[in-house]
Amino acid sequence: MTVIGHAEGSATHSVTIDGVAYPAEEIAQGAAYEVYATQPAPGFLPNPRPGAKWPYRRFVHATEVTSALDGLEDEPLLMPVTRALDWATVHRLSQTPAAAGALAPIRRTAVVRRGTRMIKFLSGRQLHGYLKGWPISGFCYRAFDVAHLRTPEDLAILTGEHNTADVVFAVRWRAVDAHDYDVPLAGAYAGLVTMPPHDRLGPPVIGTGFAPSGKHIVPEFVTADLAELPLPANTSLVAYTRDGTEVTLYTYLPEQRAWSRMHGPQWRHLLPDQSDQEYFPIEPGLTRYVGTYRDNLFEAIVDPPGEFRVAAKTRAARYPLDSLARRVPRATWREARCTVIRQEGDWLRLRLSRPDGDQVARLGAHCVERGLYEAWAPATEVSDAHESDSWYTI
């Protein structure tokens, strides 16, 4: 990669693809490049910018640009150098359940740290749910690993939508701690791997820790125990359009417990209900961040990687916390471990922590999205109901 100068709105780098040099710009905090061309070529899309100097563009991951690996925010996947193990072989193994053990050294190099940018892709219905207060949960990815997947067609491998839509939505946030995430391997999450097709939604869970894909190698994660994560500060809801444009729709304001609109009226058509609402207040969830300040317990606001404070609307009362935890309501129902995600009267909405075909049939649980199985239970039948605090090191 060669730097070729900088000007506002112009390319700042040159990258080589299949022996051809193209002008390019860094995107996604340097995790990918937007590459430009004057003529159509494989993988290139029309450039949507009015009066663009280059009429075509495509997106490539930074790992495809050899000299771009220094200074990246996250580490790429690393694999041992052998004569028998090339990229095509690793991809084939990533789609083979029995190969989980052989891939483990490679999979462990996809690391989540405090402050790692994470992303979960959403349908229009799920976007509406997040605006109404849904917490983060289920399958997700490091934003670094999917930075080059920018169009609904490319993202179909992660959304499970075979008929690609005009837009794909996502929620993006920074991780508070690696312990909030699991790798969906065939051991701990064997029930998801063996789940009958009629009992699941979305792509199957392979069990290697990688997403099912015909050509990409994408490490996937799940929230630990499939439980909910409260929204950190500056979480955003974004949209990816058919031409690869990324639009920030809303940003989460934790002090106000609300989503604030960031997009202009030209993007209103992207929203499922074409809503032009400026502000979406949400109710607090059962799972929440708590922390101590001078031996007193308070509700907490987290803004990874380094800001953890008492939840308060006035700046003077936003004291830095001495300790921080994620408080999760848990319970057992008919010998199945669950987290409690909602309570209505004498009924509890439970989510299975380790779902399998037997539990789903026995409890009458329904798959609400890939990997997440929920059921209503009478509170009188639930045992061991308690709030569990997972303490972080801050």
Side-chain angles (χ1 to χ4, degrees):
M1 181 183 72
T2 305
V3 177
I4 61 173
H6 174 75
E8 187 66 24
S10 66
T12 60
H13 301 88
S14 175
V15 299
T16 301
I17 302 175
D18 298 329
V20 180
Y22 297 96
E25 281 187 283
E26 288 186 359
I27 57 173
Q29 291 74 46
Y33 283 84
E34 185 175 351
V35 182
Y36 303 107
T38 56
Q39 301 293 329
F44 281 82
L45 299 167
N47 192 335
R49 296 188 179 97
K53 180 178 179 181
W54 295 281
Y56 299 94
R57 68 174 181 175
R58 68 173 293 188
F59 303 97
V60 298
H61 199 270
T63 52
E64 298 179 47
V65 181
T66 306
S67 57
L69 298 182
D70 294 335
L72 293 178
E73 190 173 76
D74 290 294
E75 295 83 359
L77 284 172
L78 300 177
M79 67 182 196
V81 178
T82 69
R83 294 181 182 275
L85 193 63
D86 57 13
W87 193 252
T89 302
V90 173
H91 176 264
R92 177 176 53 79
L93 292 174
S94 74
Q95 307 300 297
T96 307
L103 286 175
I106 299 173
R107 182 61 184 80
R108 282 196 293 268
T109 65
V111 178
V112 173
R113 294 186 172 88
R114 178 161 296 162
T116 296
R117 297 176 193 271
M118 305 296 292
I119 193 166
K120 173 185 173 72
F121 296 98
L122 312 172
S123 65
R125 180 188 68 83
Q126 291 170 318
L127 174 76
H128 185 75
Y130 274 80
L131 287 173
K132 297 298 184 182
W134 289 6
I136 297 162
S137 60
F139 278 79
C140 54
Y141 310 88
R142 297 193 306 175
F144 173 85
D145 295 316
V146 296
H148 59 306
L149 305 177
R150 308 277 290 194
T151 67
E153 183 178 5
D154 287 337
L155 290 168
I157 64 166
L158 305 179
T159 62
E161 299 289 339
H162 298 292
N163 298 320
T164 54
D166 290 331
V167 61
V168 167
F169 303 104
V171 56
R172 189 168 55 201
W173 70 99
R174 283 188 180 270
V176 177
D177 195 274
H179 292 99
D180 289 340
Y181 304 90
D182 288 338
V183 179
L185 296 173
Y189 290 89
L192 292 181
V193 177
T194 59
M195 193 70 67
H198 57 79
D199 281 336
R200 68 176 188 236
L201 295 175
V205 179
I206 298 175
T208 59
F210 294 93
S213 167
K215 60 179 180 179
H216 298 287
I217 302 176
V218 180
E220 59 185 0
F221 299 84
V222 293
T223 54
D225 287 337
L226 302 172
E228 297 179 335
L229 301 179
L231 298 173
N234 298 310
T235 296
S236 57
L237 293 170
V238 298
Y240 296 96
T241 65
R242 185 171 289 280
D243 60 21
T245 299
E246 177 187 296
V247 182
T248 300
L249 300 173
Y250 295 90
T251 295
Y252 182 63
L253 307 176
E255 288 88 355
Q256 291 77 28
R257 283 204 182 97
W259 292 100
S260 178
R261 193 184 74 172
M262 304 296 292
H263 65 283
Q266 73 273 28
W267 300 114
R268 181 184 175 190
H269 68 279
L270 296 178
L271 300 177
D273 57 359
Q274 295 194 2
S275 171
D276 206 28
Q277 191 169 329
E278 294 269 355
Y279 199 70
F280 283 88
I282 63 176
E283 294 295 325
L286 296 181
T287 298
R288 59 198 187 276
Y289 293 116
V290 297
T292 59
Y293 174 72
R294 295 185 177 178
D295 297 327
N296 293 311
L297 189 69
F298 298 93
E299 192 161 345
I301 286 177
V302 304
D303 191 2
E307 189 171 351
F308 310 101
R309 60 184 189 268
V310 172
K313 291 188 177 181
T314 59
R315 185 172 297 276
R318 297 172 190 170
Y319 306 114
L321 291 169
D322 301 320
S323 61
L324 175 72
R326 178 166 60 99
R327 177 164 290 180
V328 181
R330 301 181 184 274
T332 301
W333 185 40
R334 298 177 183 174
E335 301 181 351
R337 289 197 303 121
C338 306
T339 56
V340 183
I341 59 173
R342 197 156 77 248
Q343 181 171 5
E344 293 187 8
D346 295 329
W347 290 81
L348 300 177
R349 182 72 170 178
L350 304 179
R351 177 179 296 164
L352 303 183
S353 298
R354 289 292 188 275
D356 58 36
D358 175 67
Q359 286 185 357
V360 169
R362 181 162 47 87
L363 304 180
H366 297 280
C367 187
V368 295
E369 65 176 68
R370 184 179 182 226
L372 301 186
Y373 293 81
E374 298 176 2
W376 285 103
T380 54
E381 293 185 11
V382 171
S383 61
D384 191 32
H386 67 285
E387 289 186 317
S388 171
D389 290 344
S390 299
W391 291 94
Y392 303 111
T393 301
I394 59 172

Short mmCIF file of all heavy atoms in Angstrom, two decimals, residues 120 126 130 134-139 223-229 287 326 328-333 336-342 348-355 359 363 365-377:
data_model
loop_
_atom_site.label_atom_id
_atom_site.label_comp_id
_atom_site.label_asym_id
_atom_site.label_seq_id
_atom_site.Cartn_x
_atom_site.Cartn_y
_atom_site.Cartn_z
N LYS A 120 -24.21 -6.60 15.73
CA LYS A 120 -25.24 -7.63 15.55
C LYS A 120 -26.18 -7.12 14.45
O LYS A 120 -26.66 -5.98 14.51
CB LYS A 120 -26.02 -7.84 16.85
CG LYS A 120 -27.22 -8.77 16.75
CD LYS A 120 -27.96 -8.79 18.09
CE LYS A 120 -29.27 -9.58 18.01
NZ LYS A 120 -29.05 -11.02 17.89
N GLN A 126 -36.63 -6.33 14.21
CA GLN A 126 -35.72 -6.23 15.34
C GLN A 126 -35.26 -4.79 15.57
O GLN A 126 -35.10 -4.37 16.72
CB GLN A 126 -34.51 -7.14 15.10
CG GLN A 126 -34.85 -8.62 15.17
CD GLN A 126 -33.69 -9.48 14.71
OE1 GLN A 126 -33.02 -9.18 13.73
NE2 GLN A 126 -33.44 -10.56 15.43
N TYR A 130 -35.43 -2.78 19.11
CA TYR A 130 -34.35 -2.08 19.81
C TYR A 130 -34.75 -0.64 20.13
O TYR A 130 -34.41 -0.11 21.20
CB TYR A 130 -33.07 -2.12 18.99
CG TYR A 130 -32.26 -3.38 19.25
CD1 TYR A 130 -32.61 -4.58 18.64
CD2 TYR A 130 -31.20 -3.37 20.13
CE1 TYR A 130 -31.89 -5.74 18.88
CE2 TYR A 130 -30.47 -4.53 20.39
CZ TYR A 130 -30.82 -5.70 19.76
OH TYR A 130 -30.13 -6.87 20.03
N TRP A 134 -35.22 -3.16 23.46
CA TRP A 134 -34.57 -4.46 23.55
C TRP A 134 -33.10 -4.30 23.92
O TRP A 134 -32.40 -3.43 23.38
CB TRP A 134 -34.65 -5.20 22.22
CG TRP A 134 -36.00 -5.69 21.85
CD1 TRP A 134 -37.18 -5.45 22.51
CD2 TRP A 134 -36.33 -6.49 20.72
NE1 TRP A 134 -38.22 -6.06 21.85
CE2 TRP A 134 -37.73 -6.71 20.75
CE3 TRP A 134 -35.60 -7.04 19.68
CZ2 TRP A 134 -38.39 -7.44 19.79
CZ3 TRP A 134 -36.26 -7.78 18.71
CH2 TRP A 134 -37.64 -7.99 18.77
N PRO A 135 -32.57 -5.15 24.82
CA PRO A 135 -31.13 -5.16 25.08
C PRO A 135 -30.42 -5.99 24.01
O PRO A 135 -31.04 -6.64 23.17
CB PRO A 135 -31.02 -5.82 26.46
CG PRO A 135 -32.42 -6.08 26.91
CD PRO A 135 -33.30 -6.03 25.71
N ILE A 136 -29.10 -5.99 24.06
CA ILE A 136 -28.28 -6.78 23.14
C ILE A 136 -28.27 -8.22 23.61
O ILE A 136 -28.13 -8.49 24.81
CB ILE A 136 -26.85 -6.22 23.10
CG1 ILE A 136 -26.85 -4.79 22.54
CG2 ILE A 136 -25.93 -7.12 22.29
CD1 ILE A 136 -25.60 -4.01 22.86
N SER A 137 -28.40 -9.16 22.69
CA SER A 137 -28.31 -10.58 23.07
C SER A 137 -28.16 -11.43 21.83
O SER A 137 -28.48 -11.02 20.71
CB SER A 137 -29.55 -11.02 23.86
OG SER A 137 -30.72 -10.85 23.10
N GLY A 138 -27.64 -12.65 22.04
CA GLY A 138 -27.57 -13.62 20.95
C GLY A 138 -26.29 -13.53 20.15
O GLY A 138 -25.23 -13.12 20.64
N PHE A 139 -26.39 -13.91 18.89
CA PHE A 139 -25.22 -14.00 18.02
C PHE A 139 -24.75 -12.62 17.60
O PHE A 139 -25.55 -11.73 17.28
CB PHE A 139 -25.56 -14.83 16.77
CG PHE A 139 -25.47 -16.31 17.02
CD1 PHE A 139 -26.50 -16.99 17.65
CD2 PHE A 139 -24.35 -17.03 16.63
CE1 PHE A 139 -26.41 -18.36 17.89
CE2 PHE A 139 -24.24 -18.39 16.87
CZ PHE A 139 -25.28 -19.06 17.49
N THR A 223 -23.67 -13.82 23.19
CA THR A 223 -23.62 -13.28 24.55
C THR A 223 -23.62 -14.45 25.53
O THR A 223 -24.30 -15.46 25.31
CB THR A 223 -24.80 -12.35 24.81
OG1 THR A 223 -26.04 -13.03 24.51
CG2 THR A 223 -24.72 -11.10 23.93
N ALA A 224 -22.83 -14.35 26.58
CA ALA A 224 -22.62 -15.46 27.51
C ALA A 224 -23.95 -15.97 28.05
O ALA A 224 -24.79 -15.20 28.51
CB ALA A 224 -21.72 -15.01 28.66
N ASP A 225 -24.15 -17.28 27.96
CA ASP A 225 -25.40 -17.94 28.38
C ASP A 225 -26.60 -17.44 27.58
O ASP A 225 -27.74 -17.61 28.03
CB ASP A 225 -25.66 -17.73 29.87
CG ASP A 225 -24.73 -18.58 30.73
OD1 ASP A 225 -24.23 -19.60 30.23
OD2 ASP A 225 -24.51 -18.22 31.90
N LEU A 226 -26.34 -16.80 26.45
CA LEU A 226 -27.40 -16.24 25.59
C LEU A 226 -28.20 -15.17 26.34
O LEU A 226 -29.32 -14.85 25.96
CB LEU A 226 -28.33 -17.34 25.08
CG LEU A 226 -27.63 -18.44 24.27
CD1 LEU A 226 -28.60 -19.58 23.97
CD2 LEU A 226 -27.05 -17.90 22.97
N ALA A 227 -27.59 -14.62 27.39
CA ALA A 227 -28.27 -13.63 28.22
C ALA A 227 -28.20 -12.26 27.57
O ALA A 227 -27.52 -12.04 26.56
CB ALA A 227 -27.65 -13.59 29.61
N GLU A 228 -28.91 -11.31 28.18
CA GLU A 228 -28.96 -9.95 27.65
C GLU A 228 -27.80 -9.11 28.19
O GLU A 228 -27.34 -9.30 29.31
CB GLU A 228 -30.29 -9.30 28.02
CG GLU A 228 -31.49 -10.02 27.42
CD GLU A 228 -32.82 -9.40 27.82
OE1 GLU A 228 -32.87 -8.76 28.89
OE2 GLU A 228 -33.80 -9.57 27.06
N LEU A 229 -27.37 -8.16 27.35
CA LEU A 229 -26.38 -7.16 27.76
C LEU A 229 -27.05 -5.80 27.73
O LEU A 229 -27.65 -5.43 26.71
CB LEU A 229 -25.18 -7.15 26.80
CG LEU A 229 -24.38 -8.43 26.63
CD1 LEU A 229 -23.25 -8.20 25.63
CD2 LEU A 229 -23.82 -8.90 27.97
N THR A 287 -32.03 -6.86 33.20
CA THR A 287 -30.57 -6.95 33.23
C THR A 287 -30.00 -5.54 33.18
O THR A 287 -30.40 -4.73 32.33
CB THR A 287 -30.06 -7.77 32.04
OG1 THR A 287 -30.59 -9.11 32.13
CG2 THR A 287 -28.55 -7.84 32.03
N ARG A 326 -22.41 -6.67 36.05
CA ARG A 326 -23.64 -6.85 35.25
C ARG A 326 -24.58 -7.74 36.06
O ARG A 326 -24.22 -8.87 36.41
CB ARG A 326 -23.34 -7.47 33.89
CG ARG A 326 -24.58 -7.73 33.04
CD ARG A 326 -24.20 -8.03 31.59
NE ARG A 326 -23.35 -9.20 31.49
CZ ARG A 326 -23.77 -10.42 31.17
NH1 ARG A 326 -25.06 -10.65 30.96
NH2 ARG A 326 -22.92 -11.43 31.07
N VAL A 328 -27.82 -9.96 36.35
CA VAL A 328 -28.68 -10.75 35.48
C VAL A 328 -29.64 -11.57 36.32
O VAL A 328 -29.20 -12.33 37.20
CB VAL A 328 -27.84 -11.70 34.58
CG1 VAL A 328 -28.74 -12.50 33.65
CG2 VAL A 328 -26.80 -10.93 33.79
N PRO A 329 -30.96 -11.47 36.10
CA PRO A 329 -31.91 -12.34 36.82
C PRO A 329 -31.91 -13.74 36.21
O PRO A 329 -32.05 -13.89 34.99
CB PRO A 329 -33.25 -11.63 36.61
CG PRO A 329 -33.08 -10.80 35.39
CD PRO A 329 -31.63 -10.47 35.27
N ARG A 330 -31.75 -14.72 37.04
CA ARG A 330 -31.68 -16.12 36.59
C ARG A 330 -32.70 -16.97 37.33
O ARG A 330 -33.17 -16.60 38.41
CB ARG A 330 -30.27 -16.68 36.80
CG ARG A 330 -29.18 -15.90 36.07
CD ARG A 330 -27.80 -16.52 36.30
NE ARG A 330 -26.74 -15.73 35.69
CZ ARG A 330 -26.34 -15.85 34.43
NH1 ARG A 330 -26.92 -16.76 33.64
NH2 ARG A 330 -25.36 -15.11 33.95
N ALA A 331 -33.01 -18.11 36.75
CA ALA A 331 -33.97 -19.02 37.37
C ALA A 331 -33.83 -20.40 36.74
O ALA A 331 -33.17 -20.57 35.71
CB ALA A 331 -35.40 -18.50 37.18
N THR A 332 -34.44 -21.38 37.39
CA THR A 332 -34.50 -22.74 36.86
C THR A 332 -35.96 -23.13 36.70
O THR A 332 -36.77 -22.91 37.62
CB THR A 332 -33.79 -23.73 37.81
OG1 THR A 332 -32.42 -23.33 37.96
CG2 THR A 332 -33.85 -25.14 37.25
N TRP A 333 -36.29 -23.69 35.54
CA TRP A 333 -37.66 -24.13 35.29
C TRP A 333 -37.62 -25.53 34.69
O TRP A 333 -37.02 -25.74 33.63
CB TRP A 333 -38.37 -23.16 34.34
CG TRP A 333 -39.82 -23.48 34.14
CD1 TRP A 333 -40.73 -23.89 35.07
CD2 TRP A 333 -40.54 -23.42 32.90
NE1 TRP A 333 -41.96 -24.08 34.52
CE2 TRP A 333 -41.89 -23.79 33.18
CE3 TRP A 333 -40.20 -23.06 31.60
CZ2 TRP A 333 -42.87 -23.84 32.18
CZ3 TRP A 333 -41.18 -23.10 30.61
CH2 TRP A 333 -42.50 -23.50 30.91
N ALA A 336 -34.27 -26.78 33.66
CA ALA A 336 -33.57 -26.05 32.61
C ALA A 336 -33.08 -24.71 33.15
O ALA A 336 -33.85 -23.96 33.76
CB ALA A 336 -34.50 -25.82 31.41
N ARG A 337 -31.79 -24.42 32.94
CA ARG A 337 -31.24 -23.13 33.36
C ARG A 337 -31.72 -22.04 32.41
O ARG A 337 -31.69 -22.20 31.20
CB ARG A 337 -29.71 -23.16 33.36
CG ARG A 337 -29.11 -24.00 34.46
CD ARG A 337 -27.63 -23.67 34.66
NE ARG A 337 -26.85 -23.84 33.44
CZ ARG A 337 -26.16 -22.87 32.86
NH1 ARG A 337 -26.18 -21.64 33.37
NH2 ARG A 337 -25.45 -23.10 31.78
N CYS A 338 -32.14 -20.91 32.98
CA CYS A 338 -32.72 -19.84 32.18
C CYS A 338 -32.27 -18.48 32.72
O CYS A 338 -31.81 -18.37 33.86
CB CYS A 338 -34.26 -19.88 32.22
SG CYS A 338 -35.01 -21.45 31.75
N THR A 339 -32.43 -17.48 31.90
CA THR A 339 -32.38 -16.10 32.38
C THR A 339 -33.78 -15.51 32.24
O THR A 339 -34.54 -15.89 31.34
CB THR A 339 -31.38 -15.25 31.58
OG1 THR A 339 -31.70 -15.29 30.19
CG2 THR A 339 -29.97 -15.77 31.77
N VAL A 340 -34.11 -14.61 33.13
CA VAL A 340 -35.43 -13.97 33.13
C VAL A 340 -35.31 -12.67 32.33
O VAL A 340 -34.49 -11.81 32.66
CB VAL A 340 -35.92 -13.67 34.56
CG1 VAL A 340 -37.33 -13.07 34.52
CG2 VAL A 340 -35.90 -14.94 35.40
N ILE A 341 -36.13 -12.52 31.31
CA ILE A 341 -36.02 -11.33 30.48
C ILE A 341 -37.24 -10.40 30.61
O ILE A 341 -37.18 -9.25 30.20
CB ILE A 341 -35.81 -11.69 29.00
CG1 ILE A 341 -36.96 -12.54 28.47
CG2 ILE A 341 -34.48 -12.43 28.82
CD1 ILE A 341 -36.87 -12.78 26.97
N ARG A 342 -38.31 -10.92 31.21
CA ARG A 342 -39.48 -10.06 31.40
C ARG A 342 -40.39 -10.68 32.46
O ARG A 342 -40.40 -11.89 32.64
CB ARG A 342 -40.23 -9.90 30.07
CG ARG A 342 -41.20 -8.72 30.06
CD ARG A 342 -41.49 -8.21 28.65
NE ARG A 342 -42.42 -9.03 27.91
CZ ARG A 342 -42.11 -9.75 26.84
NH1 ARG A 342 -40.87 -9.77 26.39
NH2 ARG A 342 -43.01 -10.45 26.19
N LEU A 348 -43.43 -15.27 34.08
CA LEU A 348 -42.06 -14.88 33.75
C LEU A 348 -41.74 -15.30 32.32
O LEU A 348 -42.08 -16.42 31.91
CB LEU A 348 -41.06 -15.53 34.70
CG LEU A 348 -41.20 -15.21 36.19
CD1 LEU A 348 -40.18 -16.01 36.99
CD2 LEU A 348 -41.04 -13.72 36.44
N ARG A 349 -41.09 -14.42 31.60
CA ARG A 349 -40.58 -14.77 30.28
C ARG A 349 -39.15 -15.25 30.45
O ARG A 349 -38.27 -14.50 30.91
CB ARG A 349 -40.62 -13.55 29.35
CG ARG A 349 -40.14 -13.83 27.92
CD ARG A 349 -41.16 -14.66 27.16
NE ARG A 349 -40.83 -14.74 25.73
CZ ARG A 349 -41.54 -15.43 24.83
NH1 ARG A 349 -42.62 -16.09 25.22
NH2 ARG A 349 -41.19 -15.44 23.58
N LEU A 350 -38.91 -16.51 30.14
CA LEU A 350 -37.62 -17.14 30.36
C LEU A 350 -36.91 -17.42 29.05
O LEU A 350 -37.54 -17.76 28.04
CB LEU A 350 -37.79 -18.46 31.13
CG LEU A 350 -38.52 -18.38 32.47
CD1 LEU A 350 -38.63 -19.77 33.06
CD2 LEU A 350 -37.80 -17.44 33.42
N ARG A 351 -35.58 -17.30 29.06
CA ARG A 351 -34.76 -17.66 27.90
C ARG A 351 -33.83 -18.79 28.30
O ARG A 351 -33.13 -18.70 29.32
CB ARG A 351 -33.95 -16.47 27.40
CG ARG A 351 -33.03 -16.81 26.23
CD ARG A 351 -32.27 -15.60 25.75
NE ARG A 351 -33.20 -14.62 25.21
CZ ARG A 351 -32.88 -13.35 24.99
NH1 ARG A 351 -31.68 -12.91 25.30
NH2 ARG A 351 -33.77 -12.52 24.49
N LEU A 352 -33.79 -19.84 27.51
CA LEU A 352 -32.95 -21.00 27.82
C LEU A 352 -31.48 -20.63 27.68
O LEU A 352 -31.07 -20.06 26.67
CB LEU A 352 -33.29 -22.16 26.89
CG LEU A 352 -34.76 -22.62 26.88
CD1 LEU A 352 -34.94 -23.82 25.96
CD2 LEU A 352 -35.22 -22.95 28.28
N SER A 353 -30.68 -20.99 28.68
CA SER A 353 -29.25 -20.69 28.66
C SER A 353 -28.46 -21.68 27.82
O SER A 353 -27.42 -21.33 27.27
CB SER A 353 -28.69 -20.68 30.09
OG SER A 353 -29.31 -19.67 30.86
N ARG A 354 -28.92 -22.91 27.74
CA ARG A 354 -28.27 -23.94 26.93
C ARG A 354 -29.36 -24.75 26.22
O ARG A 354 -29.62 -25.91 26.54
CB ARG A 354 -27.41 -24.87 27.79
CG ARG A 354 -26.14 -24.26 28.33
CD ARG A 354 -25.13 -23.96 27.21
NE ARG A 354 -23.84 -23.54 27.78
CZ ARG A 354 -23.55 -22.31 28.13
NH1 ARG A 354 -24.48 -21.35 28.01
NH2 ARG A 354 -22.36 -22.00 28.60
N PRO A 355 -30.01 -24.17 25.24
CA PRO A 355 -31.14 -24.86 24.62
C PRO A 355 -30.72 -26.10 23.84
O PRO A 355 -29.64 -26.15 23.24
CB PRO A 355 -31.71 -23.78 23.68
CG PRO A 355 -30.56 -22.87 23.39
CD PRO A 355 -29.73 -22.86 24.64
N GLN A 359 -35.18 -29.82 25.56
CA GLN A 359 -35.72 -28.71 26.35
C GLN A 359 -36.79 -27.95 25.59
O GLN A 359 -37.82 -27.58 26.15
CB GLN A 359 -34.59 -27.76 26.73
CG GLN A 359 -33.66 -28.26 27.81
CD GLN A 359 -32.65 -27.20 28.20
OE1 GLN A 359 -32.62 -26.12 27.64
NE2 GLN A 359 -31.82 -27.52 29.18
N LEU A 363 -40.44 -27.83 27.24
CA LEU A 363 -40.89 -26.57 27.82
C LEU A 363 -41.82 -25.79 26.89
O LEU A 363 -42.36 -24.75 27.27
CB LEU A 363 -39.69 -25.69 28.17
CG LEU A 363 -38.66 -26.32 29.12
CD1 LEU A 363 -37.53 -25.35 29.38
CD2 LEU A 363 -39.31 -26.74 30.42
N ALA A 365 -40.83 -24.15 24.31
CA ALA A 365 -40.12 -22.91 23.98
C ALA A 365 -40.17 -22.65 22.48
O ALA A 365 -40.27 -23.57 21.67
CB ALA A 365 -38.68 -22.98 24.46
N HIS A 366 -40.10 -21.38 22.13
CA HIS A 366 -40.12 -20.97 20.72
C HIS A 366 -38.83 -20.25 20.38
O HIS A 366 -38.26 -19.51 21.19
CB HIS A 366 -41.31 -20.05 20.45
CG HIS A 366 -42.64 -20.69 20.68
ND1 HIS A 366 -43.24 -21.53 19.77
CD2 HIS A 366 -43.48 -20.65 21.75
CE1 HIS A 366 -44.40 -21.96 20.24
NE2 HIS A 366 -44.57 -21.44 21.44
N CYS A 367 -38.37 -20.46 19.16
CA CYS A 367 -37.18 -19.78 18.67
C CYS A 367 -37.59 -18.38 18.20
O CYS A 367 -38.38 -18.24 17.26
CB CYS A 367 -36.54 -20.56 17.52
SG CYS A 367 -34.97 -19.91 16.97
N VAL A 368 -37.08 -17.35 18.87
CA VAL A 368 -37.46 -15.97 18.53
C VAL A 368 -36.47 -15.34 17.56
O VAL A 368 -36.78 -14.37 16.87
CB VAL A 368 -37.60 -15.11 19.79
CG1 VAL A 368 -38.75 -15.61 20.65
CG2 VAL A 368 -36.30 -15.09 20.60
N GLU A 369 -35.25 -15.85 17.54
CA GLU A 369 -34.25 -15.49 16.54
C GLU A 369 -33.16 -16.55 16.64
O GLU A 369 -33.20 -17.41 17.51
CB GLU A 369 -33.67 -14.09 16.75
CG GLU A 369 -32.88 -13.91 18.03
CD GLU A 369 -32.26 -12.53 18.13
OE1 GLU A 369 -33.02 -11.55 18.28
OE2 GLU A 369 -31.03 -12.44 18.07
N ARG A 370 -32.19 -16.48 15.77
CA ARG A 370 -31.16 -17.52 15.73
C ARG A 370 -30.54 -17.73 17.11
O ARG A 370 -29.98 -16.82 17.70
CB ARG A 370 -30.08 -17.14 14.72
CG ARG A 370 -29.01 -18.22 14.54
CD ARG A 370 -27.98 -17.80 13.52
NE ARG A 370 -26.99 -18.83 13.32
CZ ARG A 370 -25.69 -18.63 13.27
NH1 ARG A 370 -25.20 -17.42 13.41
NH2 ARG A 370 -24.86 -19.64 13.07
N GLY A 371 -30.69 -18.94 17.64
CA GLY A 371 -30.07 -19.33 18.89
C GLY A 371 -30.82 -18.98 20.16
O GLY A 371 -30.45 -19.44 21.24
N LEU A 372 -31.87 -18.16 20.06
CA LEU A 372 -32.58 -17.71 21.26
C LEU A 372 -33.94 -18.40 21.35
O LEU A 372 -34.78 -18.28 20.44
CB LEU A 372 -32.76 -16.19 21.23
CG LEU A 372 -31.48 -15.36 21.15
CD1 LEU A 372 -31.81 -13.88 21.29
CD2 LEU A 372 -30.46 -15.78 22.20
N TYR A 373 -34.16 -19.09 22.47
CA TYR A 373 -35.39 -19.85 22.70
C TYR A 373 -36.02 -19.38 24.00
O TYR A 373 -35.37 -19.35 25.04
CB TYR A 373 -35.08 -21.35 22.77
CG TYR A 373 -34.63 -21.91 21.45
CD1 TYR A 373 -33.30 -21.76 21.04
CD2 TYR A 373 -35.51 -22.54 20.58
CE1 TYR A 373 -32.87 -22.25 19.82
CE2 TYR A 373 -35.09 -23.05 19.36
CZ TYR A 373 -33.78 -22.89 18.99
OH TYR A 373 -33.34 -23.36 17.76
N GLU A 374 -37.30 -19.02 23.92
CA GLU A 374 -37.99 -18.42 25.06
C GLU A 374 -39.34 -19.08 25.29
O GLU A 374 -39.94 -19.67 24.38
CB GLU A 374 -38.18 -16.92 24.82
CG GLU A 374 -36.88 -16.15 24.66
CD GLU A 374 -37.08 -14.68 24.32
OE1 GLU A 374 -38.26 -14.25 24.23
OE2 GLU A 374 -36.08 -13.97 24.13
N ALA A 375 -39.81 -18.96 26.54
CA ALA A 375 -41.13 -19.50 26.90
C ALA A 375 -41.66 -18.73 28.10
O ALA A 375 -40.88 -18.17 28.90
CB ALA A 375 -41.02 -20.99 27.24
N TRP A 376 -42.98 -18.69 28.23
CA TRP A 376 -43.63 -18.13 29.42
C TRP A 376 -43.77 -19.24 30.46
O TRP A 376 -44.13 -20.37 30.13
CB TRP A 376 -44.99 -17.56 29.07
CG TRP A 376 -44.95 -16.26 28.35
CD1 TRP A 376 -45.15 -16.04 27.02
CD2 TRP A 376 -44.70 -14.97 28.93
NE1 TRP A 376 -45.02 -14.70 26.72
CE2 TRP A 376 -44.75 -14.02 27.88
CE3 TRP A 376 -44.42 -14.53 30.22
CZ2 TRP A 376 -44.54 -12.66 28.09
CZ3 TRP A 376 -44.21 -13.18 30.44
CH2 TRP A 376 -44.27 -12.25 29.39
N ALA A 377 -43.52 -18.90 31.71
CA ALA A 377 -43.64 -19.87 32.80
C ALA A 377 -44.37 -19.22 33.97
O ALA A 377 -44.13 -18.05 34.29
CB ALA A 377 -42.27 -20.34 33.25
#
